[in-house]
Amino acid sequence: MIKKMMRGAALSLLLAPLALPADAMAASAASVPTAPASSVLALADAVGQLPVADENRAGYTRDKFKHWNSGLELTDGCNTRNEVLLGEATTAPEVTAGCKLSGGAWMSYYDGQEVLDPGKLDIDHMVPLAESWDSGASAWDAKRREAYANDQDAAASLVAVTARSNRAKADRDPAEWMPPLPEAHCRYVGEWTATKLRWGLSADQAEVDALSVYAEACETTVVHYTPAP
């Protein structure tokens, strides 16, 4: 009997909006935000959509990008770094109090290295914080820079890689640095381009030229991105 009453209540809730006046329904629909449209492009076409502009690092400091924050799951006790590690593990680590991770396994795609100690991994910003500043983030407010630095809503934005490869990359763009593993190049330039398009960042001419060369070689690479809110 209780189940029937619950089912009936649920049905009445589902039917209730049908009785709303047309103008009320229109107002309700208008109040629902529209999700940004996703795009799927060939790499060469995606590179062609990057706005070209000179870079300017004046005023940059790393602490203008708050990270790591409390992540997507506010109640799991894990910050963004550990959430990325948990999401990318090929073998799940043990998680103890305070979101301390031990054990587990990861594959660093930049250099093809398997890593068994989470402490030996860095979480790389696909487009480094300094590079994003040079390319448009200097005009953002602190909240948007924090969102960028902790972006887990796009798989390409943050990646767990060996500390050695991340530190070799530093803040360099693809005109200056590429992953040491050649098989990673097409994926890397695709994810770099996707991240720049997602956040509306520009690229300097040398960067675009390098990306265009790789796009010719990576003709089957497809770029997926959704503009950041």
Side-chain angles (χ1 to χ4, degrees), residues 143-216:
K143 183 177 180 180
R144 187 164 182 81
R145 288 197 288 270
E146 180 180 354
Y148 177 84
N150 297 273
D151 183 17
Q152 292 188 69
D153 290 325
S157 295
L158 300 171
V159 58
V161 295
T162 57
R164 176 182 296 180
S165 64
N166 182 49
R167 292 165 198 183
K169 172 183 173 178
D171 56 12
R172 295 185 287 179
D173 68 30
E176 304 163 314
W177 184 90
M178 288 292 289
L181 187 67
E183 293 88 339
H185 289 179
C186 290
R187 174 181 172 182
Y188 184 76
V189 295
E191 293 186 347
W192 178 280
T193 304
T195 303
K196 285 229 159 175
L197 290 173
R198 170 170 168 76
W199 288 92
L201 298 171
S202 63
D204 64 26
Q205 191 61 59
E207 180 185 344
V208 170
D209 291 345
L211 292 171
S212 297
V213 170
Y214 283 106
E216 289 182 11

Coordinates of all heavy atoms in Angstrom, one line a residue, residues 143-216:
K143 N 38.6 33.5 -9.1 CA 37.8 32.3 -9.1 C 37.9 31.5 -10.4 O 38.0 30.3 -10.3 CB 36.3 32.8 -8.9 CG 35.3 31.6 -8.8 CD 33.9 32.2 -8.6 CE 32.9 31.0 -8.5 NZ 31.5 31.5 -8.3
R144 N 38.1 32.2 -11.5 CA 38.2 31.5 -12.8 C 39.6 30.8 -12.8 O 39.8 29.7 -13.4 CB 38.0 32.4 -14.0 CG 38.0 31.6 -15.3 CD 37.3 32.5 -16.4 NE 37.3 31.8 -17.7 CZ 36.3 30.9 -18.0 NH1 35.4 30.6 -17.1 NH2 36.3 30.3 -19.2
R145 N 40.6 31.5 -12.3 CA 41.9 30.9 -12.3 C 42.0 29.7 -11.4 O 42.6 28.7 -11.8 CB 43.0 31.9 -11.9 CG 43.3 33.0 -13.0 CD 44.6 33.7 -12.7 NE 44.5 34.6 -11.6 CZ 44.2 35.9 -11.7 NH1 43.8 36.4 -12.9 NH2 44.1 36.7 -10.6
E146 N 41.3 29.7 -10.3 CA 41.2 28.5 -9.5 C 40.4 27.4 -10.2 O 40.9 26.2 -10.1 CB 40.4 28.8 -8.2 CG 40.3 27.6 -7.2 CD 39.6 27.9 -5.9 OE1 39.2 29.1 -5.7 OE2 39.3 27.0 -5.2
A147 N 39.4 27.7 -10.9 CA 38.7 26.7 -11.7 C 39.6 26.0 -12.7 O 39.6 24.8 -12.9 CB 37.4 27.3 -12.3
Y148 N 40.4 26.9 -13.4 CA 41.3 26.4 -14.4 C 42.3 25.4 -13.7 O 42.6 24.3 -14.3 CB 42.0 27.5 -15.1 CG 43.1 27.1 -16.1 CD1 42.7 26.8 -17.4 CD2 44.4 27.0 -15.7 CE1 43.6 26.4 -18.3 CE2 45.4 26.6 -16.6 CZ 45.0 26.3 -17.9 OH 45.9 25.8 -18.8
A149 N 42.9 25.8 -12.6 CA 44.0 25.1 -12.0 C 43.5 23.8 -11.4 O 44.3 22.9 -11.1 CB 44.6 25.9 -10.9
N150 N 42.2 23.6 -11.2 CA 41.7 22.4 -10.6 C 40.6 21.7 -11.6 O 39.8 20.9 -11.1 CB 41.0 22.7 -9.3 CG 42.0 23.2 -8.3 OD1 42.6 22.5 -7.6 ND2 42.1 24.6 -8.2
D151 N 40.8 21.9 -12.8 CA 39.7 21.5 -13.8 C 39.7 20.0 -14.0 O 40.6 19.4 -14.7 CB 40.0 22.2 -15.2 CG 38.9 21.8 -16.2 OD1 37.9 21.3 -15.8 OD2 39.2 22.0 -17.4
Q152 N 38.7 19.3 -13.4 CA 38.6 17.9 -13.6 C 37.4 17.6 -14.5 O 37.0 16.4 -14.7 CB 38.4 17.2 -12.3 CG 39.6 17.2 -11.4 CD 39.4 16.3 -10.2 OE1 39.3 15.1 -10.3 NE2 39.3 16.9 -9.0
D153 N 36.7 18.6 -15.0 CA 35.6 18.3 -15.9 C 36.0 18.0 -17.3 O 35.1 17.8 -18.2 CB 34.6 19.6 -15.8 CG 33.9 19.7 -14.5 OD1 33.6 18.6 -13.9 OD2 33.7 20.8 -14.0
A154 N 37.2 18.1 -17.6 CA 37.7 17.7 -19.0 C 38.9 16.8 -18.7 O 39.8 17.1 -18.0 CB 38.2 18.9 -19.8
A155 N 38.9 15.6 -19.3 CA 39.9 14.6 -19.1 C 41.3 15.1 -19.4 O 42.3 14.6 -18.9 CB 39.6 13.3 -19.9
A156 N 41.4 16.0 -20.4 CA 42.8 16.4 -20.8 C 43.4 17.5 -20.0 O 44.6 17.7 -20.1 CB 42.7 17.0 -22.3
S157 N 42.7 18.1 -19.1 CA 43.2 19.3 -18.4 C 44.3 19.0 -17.4 O 45.3 19.8 -17.3 CB 42.1 20.1 -17.7 OG 41.1 20.6 -18.6
L158 N 44.2 17.9 -16.7 CA 45.1 17.5 -15.7 C 45.5 16.0 -15.9 O 44.6 15.2 -16.2 CB 44.5 17.6 -14.3 CG 44.0 19.0 -13.8 CD1 43.2 18.9 -12.5 CD2 45.2 19.9 -13.7
V159 N 46.8 15.7 -15.8 CA 47.2 14.4 -16.1 C 48.3 14.0 -15.2 O 49.2 14.8 -14.8 CB 47.7 14.3 -17.6 CG1 48.8 15.3 -17.9 CG2 48.1 12.9 -17.9
A160 N 48.3 12.7 -14.7 CA 49.3 12.2 -13.8 C 50.5 11.6 -14.6 O 50.3 10.7 -15.4 CB 48.7 11.1 -12.9
V161 N 51.6 12.2 -14.4 CA 52.8 11.8 -15.1 C 54.0 11.7 -14.2 O 54.0 12.2 -13.1 CB 53.1 12.8 -16.3 CG1 52.0 12.7 -17.3 CG2 53.3 14.2 -15.8
T162 N 55.1 11.1 -14.6 CA 56.3 11.1 -13.8 C 56.8 12.5 -13.5 O 56.7 13.4 -14.3 CB 57.4 10.4 -14.5 OG1 57.7 11.0 -15.8 CG2 57.1 8.9 -14.7
A163 N 57.3 12.7 -12.3 CA 57.8 14.0 -11.9 C 58.9 14.4 -12.8 O 59.0 15.6 -13.2 CB 58.3 13.9 -10.4
R164 N 59.7 13.5 -13.3 CA 60.8 13.8 -14.2 C 60.3 14.5 -15.5 O 60.8 15.5 -15.9 CB 61.7 12.6 -14.5 CG 62.8 12.9 -15.5 CD 63.5 11.6 -15.8 NE 64.2 11.0 -14.6 CZ 64.9 9.9 -14.6 NH1 65.1 9.2 -15.7 NH2 65.5 9.5 -13.5
S165 N 59.3 13.9 -16.1 CA 58.8 14.4 -17.4 C 58.1 15.7 -17.2 O 58.2 16.6 -18.0 CB 57.9 13.4 -18.0 OG 56.7 13.1 -17.3
N166 N 57.3 15.9 -16.1 CA 56.7 17.1 -15.8 C 57.6 18.3 -15.6 O 57.4 19.4 -16.1 CB 55.7 17.0 -14.6 CG 54.9 18.2 -14.3 OD1 54.3 18.8 -15.2 ND2 55.0 18.7 -13.1
R167 N 58.7 18.0 -14.9 CA 59.7 19.0 -14.6 C 60.5 19.4 -15.8 O 61.0 20.5 -15.9 CB 60.4 18.7 -13.3 CG 59.5 18.7 -12.1 CD 60.0 18.0 -10.9 NE 58.9 17.7 -10.0 CZ 59.0 17.2 -8.8 NH1 60.2 16.9 -8.3 NH2 57.9 17.0 -8.0
A168 N 60.7 18.4 -16.7 CA 61.4 18.7 -17.9 C 60.6 19.6 -18.8 O 61.1 20.5 -19.5 CB 61.7 17.4 -18.7
K169 N 59.3 19.4 -18.8 CA 58.3 20.2 -19.5 C 58.3 21.6 -19.0 O 58.3 22.6 -19.7 CB 56.9 19.6 -19.5 CG 55.9 20.5 -20.1 CD 54.5 19.8 -20.0 CE 53.4 20.7 -20.4 NZ 52.0 20.1 -20.3
A170 N 58.2 21.8 -17.6 CA 58.1 23.1 -17.0 C 57.0 23.9 -17.6 O 55.8 23.3 -17.6 CB 59.4 23.8 -17.1
D171 N 57.2 25.1 -18.0 CA 56.1 25.9 -18.6 C 56.2 26.1 -20.1 O 55.7 27.1 -20.6 CB 56.1 27.3 -17.9 CG 57.4 28.0 -18.0 OD1 58.3 27.6 -18.8 OD2 57.6 29.0 -17.2
R172 N 56.9 25.1 -20.7 CA 57.1 25.3 -22.2 C 55.9 24.7 -23.0 O 55.2 23.8 -22.6 CB 58.4 24.5 -22.5 CG 59.6 25.2 -21.9 CD 60.9 24.5 -22.4 NE 61.1 23.2 -21.8 CZ 62.2 22.5 -22.0 NH1 63.1 22.9 -22.9 NH2 62.3 21.3 -21.5
D173 N 55.8 25.4 -24.2 CA 54.7 24.9 -25.1 C 55.3 23.9 -26.1 O 56.4 23.6 -26.1 CB 54.0 26.1 -25.7 CG 54.9 26.9 -26.7 OD1 55.8 26.3 -27.3 OD2 54.7 28.1 -26.9
P174 N 54.4 23.4 -27.0 CA 54.9 22.4 -28.0 C 55.9 22.8 -29.0 O 56.6 22.0 -29.6 CB 53.6 21.9 -28.7 CG 52.5 22.2 -27.6 CD 52.9 23.5 -27.0
A175 N 56.1 24.1 -29.1 CA 57.3 24.6 -29.9 C 58.6 24.4 -29.2 O 59.6 24.4 -29.9 CB 57.1 26.1 -30.3
E176 N 58.5 24.2 -27.9 CA 59.8 24.1 -27.1 C 60.0 22.8 -26.4 O 61.1 22.4 -26.1 CB 59.7 25.2 -26.0 CG 59.5 26.6 -26.6 CD 59.0 27.6 -25.5 OE1 58.1 27.3 -24.7 OE2 59.6 28.7 -25.4
W177 N 58.9 22.0 -26.3 CA 59.0 20.7 -25.6 C 57.9 19.8 -26.0 O 56.8 20.2 -26.2 CB 58.9 20.9 -24.1 CG 59.1 19.6 -23.3 CD1 60.3 19.2 -22.8 CD2 58.1 18.7 -22.9 NE1 60.1 18.0 -22.1 CE2 58.7 17.6 -22.2 CE3 56.7 18.6 -23.1 CZ2 58.1 16.5 -21.6 CZ3 56.0 17.5 -22.5 CH2 56.7 16.5 -21.8
M178 N 58.2 18.5 -26.2 CA 57.3 17.5 -26.5 C 57.6 16.3 -25.6 O 58.8 16.1 -25.2 CB 57.3 17.1 -27.9 CG 56.7 18.1 -28.9 SD 54.9 18.3 -28.7 CE 54.3 16.8 -29.4
P179 N 56.6 15.4 -25.3 CA 56.9 14.2 -24.5 C 58.0 13.4 -25.1 O 58.1 13.3 -26.3 CB 55.6 13.5 -24.5 CG 54.5 14.5 -24.7 CD 55.2 15.5 -25.6
P180 N 58.9 12.8 -24.2 CA 60.0 12.0 -24.8 C 59.6 10.8 -25.5 O 60.3 10.2 -26.3 CB 60.8 11.6 -23.5 CG 59.9 11.8 -22.4 CD 58.9 12.9 -22.8
L181 N 58.3 10.3 -25.3 CA 57.8 9.1 -26.0 C 57.2 9.5 -27.3 O 56.1 10.2 -27.3 CB 56.8 8.4 -25.1 CG 56.3 7.0 -25.6 CD1 57.5 6.0 -25.6 CD2 55.2 6.5 -24.8
P182 N 57.8 9.2 -28.5 CA 57.2 9.7 -29.7 C 55.7 9.3 -29.9 O 54.9 10.0 -30.5 CB 58.1 9.0 -30.8 CG 59.4 8.8 -30.1 CD 59.0 8.5 -28.7
E183 N 55.4 8.1 -29.5 CA 54.0 7.6 -29.6 C 53.0 8.5 -28.9 O 51.8 8.4 -29.1 CB 53.9 6.2 -29.1 CG 54.6 5.1 -29.9 CD 56.1 5.0 -29.5 OE1 56.6 5.9 -28.8 OE2 56.7 3.9 -29.8
A184 N 53.5 9.3 -28.0 CA 52.6 10.2 -27.2 C 52.3 11.5 -27.9 O 51.4 12.3 -27.5 CB 53.2 10.5 -25.8
H185 N 53.0 11.8 -29.0 CA 53.0 13.2 -29.5 C 51.6 13.6 -30.1 O 51.1 14.7 -29.8 CB 54.0 13.3 -30.6 CG 55.4 13.3 -30.1 ND1 56.5 13.5 -30.9 CD2 55.9 13.3 -28.8 CE1 57.6 13.4 -30.2 NE2 57.3 13.3 -28.9
C186 N 50.9 12.7 -30.8 CA 49.6 13.1 -31.4 C 48.6 13.3 -30.3 O 47.8 14.3 -30.3 CB 49.2 12.0 -32.3 SG 50.1 11.9 -33.9
R187 N 48.6 12.4 -29.3 CA 47.7 12.6 -28.1 C 48.0 13.9 -27.4 O 47.1 14.7 -27.1 CB 47.8 11.4 -27.2 CG 47.0 11.7 -25.9 CD 47.1 10.5 -24.9 NE 46.5 10.8 -23.6 CZ 46.5 10.0 -22.6 NH1 47.1 8.8 -22.7 NH2 45.9 10.4 -21.4
Y188 N 49.3 14.2 -27.2 CA 49.6 15.4 -26.5 C 49.2 16.7 -27.2 O 48.6 17.6 -26.6 CB 51.2 15.4 -26.3 CG 51.7 16.5 -25.5 CD1 51.5 16.6 -24.1 CD2 52.3 17.6 -26.0 CE1 52.0 17.6 -23.3 CE2 52.8 18.7 -25.3 CZ 52.6 18.7 -23.9 OH 53.0 19.7 -23.1
V189 N 49.5 16.8 -28.5 CA 49.1 18.0 -29.2 C 47.6 18.1 -29.3 O 47.0 19.3 -29.2 CB 49.8 18.1 -30.6 CG1 51.3 18.3 -30.5 CG2 49.4 17.0 -31.5
G190 N 46.9 17.0 -29.4 CA 45.4 17.1 -29.4 C 44.9 17.6 -28.0 O 44.0 18.4 -28.0
E191 N 45.5 17.1 -26.9 CA 45.0 17.5 -25.6 C 45.4 18.9 -25.3 O 44.7 19.7 -24.7 CB 45.5 16.5 -24.6 CG 44.9 15.2 -24.7 CD 45.2 14.2 -23.6 OE1 46.2 14.5 -22.8 OE2 44.6 13.1 -23.5
W192 N 46.6 19.3 -25.8 CA 47.0 20.7 -25.6 C 46.0 21.7 -26.3 O 45.6 22.7 -25.7 CB 48.4 20.9 -26.2 CG 49.0 22.3 -26.1 CD1 48.7 23.3 -26.9 CD2 49.9 22.8 -25.1 NE1 49.4 24.5 -26.6 CE2 50.1 24.2 -25.4 CE3 50.5 22.3 -24.0 CZ2 50.9 25.0 -24.7 CZ3 51.4 23.1 -23.3 CH2 51.6 24.4 -23.6
T193 N 45.7 21.3 -27.6 CA 44.8 22.2 -28.4 C 43.4 22.2 -27.8 O 42.8 23.3 -27.7 CB 44.8 21.7 -29.8 OG1 46.1 21.7 -30.3 CG2 43.9 22.6 -30.7
A194 N 43.0 21.1 -27.3 CA 41.6 21.0 -26.7 C 41.6 21.9 -25.4 O 40.6 22.6 -25.2 CB 41.3 19.5 -26.3
T195 N 42.6 21.9 -24.6 CA 42.6 22.7 -23.4 C 42.6 24.2 -23.7 O 41.9 24.9 -23.1 CB 43.8 22.3 -22.5 OG1 43.8 20.9 -22.3 CG2 43.8 23.1 -21.2
K196 N 43.4 24.6 -24.7 CA 43.4 26.0 -25.1 C 42.0 26.4 -25.6 O 41.5 27.5 -25.3 CB 44.5 26.2 -26.1 CG 45.9 26.2 -25.5 CD 46.7 27.5 -25.9 CE 47.9 27.7 -25.0 NZ 48.7 28.8 -25.4
L197 N 41.4 25.6 -26.4 CA 40.1 25.9 -26.9 C 39.0 25.9 -25.8 O 38.2 26.8 -25.8 CB 39.7 25.0 -28.0 CG 40.5 25.1 -29.4 CD1 40.1 24.0 -30.3 CD2 40.2 26.5 -30.0
R198 N 39.1 25.0 -24.9 CA 38.2 24.9 -23.8 C 38.2 26.2 -23.0 O 37.1 26.7 -22.6 CB 38.5 23.7 -22.9 CG 37.7 23.6 -21.6 CD 37.9 22.3 -20.9 NE 37.4 22.3 -19.5 CZ 36.2 22.2 -19.2 NH1 35.2 22.2 -20.1 NH2 35.8 22.2 -17.9
W199 N 39.3 26.7 -22.8 CA 39.5 27.9 -21.9 C 39.6 29.2 -22.7 O 39.9 30.3 -22.1 CB 40.6 27.7 -20.9 CG 40.2 26.7 -19.9 CD1 40.5 25.3 -19.9 CD2 39.5 26.9 -18.7 NE1 39.9 24.7 -18.8 CE2 39.3 25.7 -18.0 CE3 39.0 28.1 -18.1 CZ2 38.7 25.6 -16.8 CZ3 38.3 27.9 -16.9 CH2 38.2 26.7 -16.3
G200 N 39.5 29.2 -24.0 CA 39.6 30.4 -24.8 C 40.9 31.1 -24.8 O 41.0 32.3 -24.8
L201 N 42.0 30.3 -24.7 CA 43.3 30.8 -24.6 C 43.9 30.9 -26.0 O 43.6 30.2 -26.9 CB 44.2 29.9 -23.8 CG 43.8 29.7 -22.3 CD1 44.6 28.6 -21.7 CD2 44.0 31.0 -21.6
S202 N 44.8 31.9 -26.2 CA 45.4 32.1 -27.5 C 46.7 31.3 -27.6 O 47.1 30.6 -26.6 CB 45.8 33.6 -27.6 OG 46.7 34.0 -26.6
A203 N 47.4 31.4 -28.7 CA 48.6 30.8 -29.0 C 49.5 31.7 -29.7 O 49.0 32.5 -30.6 CB 48.4 29.5 -29.8
D204 N 50.8 31.7 -29.4 CA 51.7 32.6 -30.2 C 52.0 31.9 -31.6 O 51.7 30.7 -31.8 CB 52.9 33.0 -29.4 CG 53.8 31.8 -29.1 OD1 53.8 30.8 -29.8 OD2 54.6 32.0 -28.1
Q205 N 52.7 32.7 -32.4 CA 52.9 32.2 -33.8 C 53.8 30.9 -33.8 O 53.5 30.0 -34.6 CB 53.5 33.2 -34.7 CG 53.5 32.9 -36.2 CD 52.1 32.6 -36.7 OE1 51.2 33.5 -36.7 NE2 51.8 31.4 -37.2
A206 N 54.8 30.9 -33.0 CA 55.7 29.7 -33.0 C 55.0 28.5 -32.5 O 55.2 27.4 -33.1 CB 56.9 30.0 -32.1
E207 N 54.1 28.7 -31.6 CA 53.3 27.6 -31.0 C 52.4 27.0 -32.1 O 52.3 25.8 -32.3 CB 52.5 28.1 -29.8 CG 51.6 27.1 -29.1 CD 50.9 27.7 -28.0 OE1 51.2 28.9 -27.6 OE2 49.9 27.1 -27.6
V208 N 51.7 27.9 -32.8 CA 50.7 27.5 -33.9 C 51.5 26.8 -35.0 O 51.0 25.8 -35.5 CB 50.0 28.7 -34.4 CG1 49.2 28.3 -35.7 CG2 49.0 29.2 -33.3
D209 N 52.6 27.3 -35.3 CA 53.4 26.7 -36.4 C 53.8 25.3 -36.0 O 53.7 24.3 -36.8 CB 54.7 27.5 -36.7 CG 54.4 28.8 -37.3 OD1 53.3 29.0 -37.8 OD2 55.3 29.7 -37.4
A210 N 54.2 25.1 -34.8 CA 54.6 23.7 -34.3 C 53.4 22.8 -34.3 O 53.5 21.6 -34.7 CB 55.2 23.8 -32.9
L211 N 52.3 23.3 -33.8 CA 51.1 22.5 -33.7 C 50.6 22.1 -35.1 O 50.1 21.0 -35.4 CB 49.9 23.2 -33.0 CG 50.1 23.5 -31.5 CD1 49.1 24.4 -31.0 CD2 50.1 22.1 -30.7
S212 N 50.8 23.0 -36.1 CA 50.4 22.7 -37.4 C 51.2 21.6 -38.1 O 50.7 20.8 -38.8 CB 50.5 24.0 -38.3 OG 49.6 25.0 -37.8
V213 N 52.5 21.6 -37.8 CA 53.4 20.6 -38.3 C 53.0 19.2 -37.7 O 52.9 18.2 -38.4 CB 54.9 20.9 -37.9 CG1 55.8 19.7 -38.2 CG2 55.4 22.1 -38.7
Y214 N 52.7 19.2 -36.4 CA 52.2 17.9 -35.8 C 50.9 17.5 -36.4 O 50.6 16.3 -36.5 CB 52.2 18.0 -34.3 CG 53.6 17.9 -33.7 CD1 54.2 19.1 -33.1 CD2 54.2 16.7 -33.6 CE1 55.5 19.0 -32.6 CE2 55.5 16.7 -33.0 CZ 56.1 17.8 -32.5 OH 57.4 17.7 -32.0
A215 N 50.0 18.5 -36.6 CA 48.7 18.1 -37.2 C 48.8 17.4 -38.5 O 48.0 16.6 -38.8 CB 47.8 19.4 -37.3
E216 N 49.8 17.8 -39.3 CA 50.0 17.1 -40.6 C 50.3 15.7 -40.4 O 49.9 14.8 -41.1 CB 51.1 17.8 -41.4 CG 50.6 19.2 -41.9 CD 51.7 19.9 -42.8 OE1 52.7 19.2 -43.1 OE2 51.6 21.0 -43.1

